[in-house]
Amino acid sequence: MAKINHYLKTFVEVSAYAFVKRKVRKLAEKYFQIQTLGLENLTHESAVLVPNHELGIDSGLLGVAIPRRIHYLVQNEGVYDNNLGVKVLLWAMGQIPVNAVRKNFNDSENIDEIDNEMNNKIKMQDKKAIGRARDYLKYSRAFLGVFAEGPTRY
């Protein structure tokens, strides 16, 4: 049963990715002059891509320009939590939610007062995310996209 679920999930991911890529390509060709240079320099193996993240459309444009699938590490907070449609779309395309929890501490607070249960839950989710990312790199020829700067500024 687990093997069938794996194949079904893979089929959904590939189909959703191809569908969205076609739609984004049509929009990109309509509004932008896309020129792709250096594709011959891309490895034929899996690799980690670390592009800049200036606008919200960066990942879509990069996905259009590169012929292979890109699985992005996507910030969980504010992306996966609020919009069910976006959550389903990103899941279907094989994107990987990760936690980017930031807590601002002022001088009167003690870092040790963080709720351990929540902290452990976040750690477990991130371990699963890193495991998924590793599996995509190990078992497929896809790219893993990581926006090292974090979320967009706009």
Side-chain angles (χ1 to χ4, degrees), residues 27-105:
L27 286 172
E29 288 171 350
K30 182 176 181 179
Y31 294 105
F32 301 101
Q33 292 180 344
I34 296 178
Q35 183 179 16
T36 306
L37 303 172
L39 286 178
E40 67 279 0
N41 297 320
L42 288 175
T43 178
H44 295 286
E45 302 297 321
S46 298
V48 177
L49 299 176
V50 187
N52 289 334
H53 200 19
E54 296 294 324
L55 301 170
I57 60 174
D58 302 347
S59 57
L61 292 177
L62 192 58
V64 166
I66 294 180
R68 294 203 328 253
R69 291 177 59 205
I70 305 171
H71 298 280
Y72 286 100
L73 293 175
V74 179
Q75 179 179 338
N76 196 13
E77 297 81 21
V79 177
Y80 271 81
D81 295 339
N82 297 333
N83 188 324
L84 182 61
V86 170
K87 182 177 183 173
V88 169
L89 178 65
L90 292 174
W91 172 84
M93 291 177 58
Q95 308 312 308
I96 305 166
V98 293
N99 293 293
V101 175
R102 295 179 186 91
K103 182 166 174 63
N104 296 324
F105 294 98

Side-chain angles (χ1 to χ4, degrees), residues 80-137:
Y80 271 81
D81 295 339
N82 297 333
N83 188 324
L84 182 61
V86 170
K87 182 177 183 173
V88 169
L89 178 65
L90 292 174
W91 172 84
M93 291 177 58
Q95 308 312 308
I96 305 166
V98 293
N99 293 293
V101 175
R102 295 179 186 91
K103 182 166 174 63
N104 296 324
F105 294 98
N106 59 35
D107 293 335
S108 65
E109 290 181 299
N110 184 349
I111 292 176
D112 295 332
E113 294 174 7
I114 296 173
D115 183 6
N116 285 333
E117 184 178 332
M118 177 62 108
N119 200 21
N120 289 336
K121 182 179 178 185
I122 289 169
K123 285 181 183 176
M124 288 304 296
Q125 290 172 347
D126 285 344
K127 283 182 182 178
K128 289 180 184 176
I130 297 302
R132 282 185 63 199
R134 182 197 62 231
D135 289 347
Y136 281 128
L137 289 170

